[in-house]
Amino acid sequence: MSKSFTRALRVVFAKEVVDALRDRRTLLRLLIPAVLMGPLLLLALSGLIASLEERAEKREILVVGIEHAPTLRNFLERQTYTIKTAPPDYEAGLRATTLLDPVLVISPDFEAALARGEQPAVELVSDSANQRASASVGTLGRLLQGFNRERAGVLLALRGVSASLLQPVLVEERDLASTQARAARLTAIVPMFIIMAVLYGALTAALDSTSGERERGSLEPLLMNPAPHMALVLGKWGAVALLGMVVAVLANLSFIPAQRLIQSDSLQAMFQFGGYEVAVFVLLQLPLAAGLGALLMAIAIRTKTFKEAQASTTIVITLVALTPMVSLLNPGGEAAWYYWVPGLAQNSLMMLVLKGEALPWPKLLPSMAVGVALTWVCLAFVARSMRSAVAR
């Protein structure tokens, strides 16, 4: 690499960095969402979990007609649950999400039917659109199953039959997920926000250094310099990728103080995000920042105005934002091709880190290879577009 090439690259790189830092209003609009939105959403999620845990600790049940079931009342109270009478308009409350607990409705003939050896019916009323009420349906259902088992066991014992016949197979559950893996189910939003931070960090600089300079009339004089066009392109791209990584680093670091403000004790104990996670996340974003920065420049260099460039890059923003959703919507689990898709690869790799799993090279290499290939293809296209612009 010649001295003139290196000098031109350095000069353009420094110029683009200074130009990006000079526009402080744009930087603030960029940094505030990228740095704060992820932690704020994490805190909101922890607040929801904390409220669910608090309601679970109260051990309260809303019932209609409990006076018709003294046997069931005795069982529920022995399970240390407090029985409360549901409001008369409980159905409207569930639909309007003002009532946040399911309601157990007991028929007037419950105790008489139970004494006759019949099966009295009870209603477990909820609204699937009311997420907080739906979350408690399982607990109430398990309580009723426990009542059924106890009642059946008593009846069998009176007839001299072992209650173990009701459960011929003893089922023991064993959860293979680690504490970090269980926390990752709740903190899957973290990789998505970091990926978007990389994108938005590179977006403004990429558009401003290409279509923005063309609109201001400063791109053509720059291209008339005797410096190699590839040196100019690399200098601009270096500043774009650097800004994207700076925003990504700040977004990563913002989750460290945010986790200390988590309201849920269980989530705070499970979610461990420290210096190791920050360092690995930053390294995983390098191929993405390089590739996205070059791709955005390649799209913007063919446009004449800044607004046209913004409209043209919308498809890239949409695709990158949607790629993490693939892993959530795919019922077949993780696939090998995930690691070949920019954005989706980084999301999958960061989820492995959050779960406390190792990062094997067969999963790392595809994202690195795609990032390098995308970078050079797009930068070559930008350099050729600049040469053609000078020729015209």
Side-chain angles (χ1 to χ4, degrees):
M1 189 177 293
S2 63
K3 290 184 179 179
S4 60
F5 186 97
T6 305
R7 182 175 180 277
L9 191 156
R10 266 199 326 267
V11 170
V12 174
F13 174 80
K15 167 189 171 297
E16 296 296 335
V17 171
V18 170
D19 288 344
L21 296 177
R22 186 179 293 124
D23 192 354
R24 296 181 181 178
R25 183 177 300 177
T26 301
L27 279 177
L28 286 177
R29 287 200 301 264
L30 175 68
L31 289 174
I32 290 175
V35 173
L36 294 183
M37 286 302 295
L40 288 177
L41 188 56
L42 179 64
L43 295 180
L45 176 63
S46 74
L48 173 62
I49 297 173
S51 66
L52 293 176
E53 292 174 342
E54 183 180 356
R55 286 174 50 233
E57 290 175 358
K58 289 182 179 179
R59 301 177 73 82
E60 295 177 350
I61 298 176
L62 296 181
V63 185
V64 174
I66 190 62
E67 65 275 7
H68 306 306
T71 306
L72 179 59
R73 173 193 282 274
N74 177 269
F75 172 81
L76 294 175
E77 289 178 345
R78 282 189 285 111
Q79 309 305 314
T80 68
Y81 277 85
T82 302
I83 299 173
K84 291 190 173 183
T85 302
D89 58 343
Y90 64 87
E91 291 188 3
L94 286 170
R95 291 193 185 99
T97 67
T98 56
L99 186 63
L100 303 179
D101 292 286
V103 177
L104 180 64
V105 180
I106 302 173
S107 59
D109 62 340
F110 178 90
E111 199 68 29
L114 203 63
R116 293 193 301 267
E118 299 176 359
Q119 288 183 312
V122 297
E123 279 189 318
L124 188 52
V125 183
S126 182
D127 188 328
S128 58
N130 187 337
Q131 294 184 359
R132 295 199 179 187
S134 298
S136 301
V137 170
T139 301
L140 191 49
R142 286 189 292 272
L143 274 174
L144 294 174
Q145 290 175 5
F147 174 75
N148 286 336
R149 286 192 299 269
E150 181 181 276
R151 182 71 182 178
V154 169
L155 294 176
L156 289 175
L158 291 175
R159 290 166 174 78
V161 180
S162 174
S164 62
L165 294 176
L166 292 175
Q167 192 174 356
V169 177
L170 182 62
V171 179
E172 295 181 355
E173 295 185 4
R174 184 161 60 99
D175 190 354
L176 297 177
S178 63
T179 302
Q180 289 177 292
R182 291 195 296 272
R185 294 176 57 190
L186 302 173
T187 57
I189 60 170
V190 174
M192 181 184 69
F193 276 97
I194 293 174
I195 290 172
M196 295 307 297
V198 174
L199 174 62
Y200 284 114
L203 178 63
T204 303
L207 302 188
D208 186 70
S209 63
T210 50
S211 62
E213 287 202 12
R214 173 171 287 171
E215 189 175 32
R216 294 191 297 268
S218 59
L219 182 61
E220 284 73 10
L222 178 64
L223 297 178
M224 297 302 294
N225 287 318
H229 289 153
M230 183 53 76
L232 302 179
V233 171
L234 288 176
K236 289 177 174 291
W237 166 79
V240 170
L242 176 63
L243 188 56
M245 287 306 303
V246 167
V247 178
V249 170
L250 293 176
N252 275 285
L253 292 174
S254 67
F255 284 99
I256 294 180
Q259 67 183 333
R260 298 178 182 175
L261 303 176
I262 292 177
Q263 302 176 38
S264 169
D265 292 336
S266 59
L267 181 59
Q268 191 174 49
M270 290 190 295
F271 182 52
Q272 302 296 326
F273 195 86
Y276 170 76
E277 285 77 15
V278 170
V280 175
F281 276 23
V282 169
L283 292 176
L284 291 176
Q285 300 313 306
L286 288 175
L288 183 66
L292 283 181
L295 177 61
L296 293 170
M297 289 177 62
I299 294 174
I301 196 66
R302 304 298 296 177
T303 60
K304 296 181 180 180
T305 63
F306 193 84
K307 287 186 177 180
E308 184 183 351
Q310 286 180 316
S312 300
T313 54
T314 303
I315 184 64
V316 176
I317 299 173
T318 304
L319 290 176
V320 173
L322 291 178
T323 48
M325 299 296 295
V326 174
S327 57
L328 298 176
L329 299 176
N330 181 19
E334 186 181 280
W337 60 268
Y338 284 9
Y339 300 98
W340 295 92
V341 181
L344 181 57
Q346 280 71 27
N347 181 79
S348 301
L349 291 169
M350 285 189 286
M351 285 301 297
L352 291 178
V353 176
L354 289 177
K355 293 177 182 178
E357 299 180 13
L359 294 177
W361 283 107
K363 294 182 177 180
L364 281 170
L365 291 177
S367 65
M368 297 169 62
V370 171
V372 172
L374 181 64
T375 300
W376 282 110
V377 169
C378 292
L379 291 183
F381 177 80
V382 174
R384 190 181 68 178
S385 299
M386 286 184 174
R387 284 194 296 269
S388 62
V390 172
R392 288 197 302 268

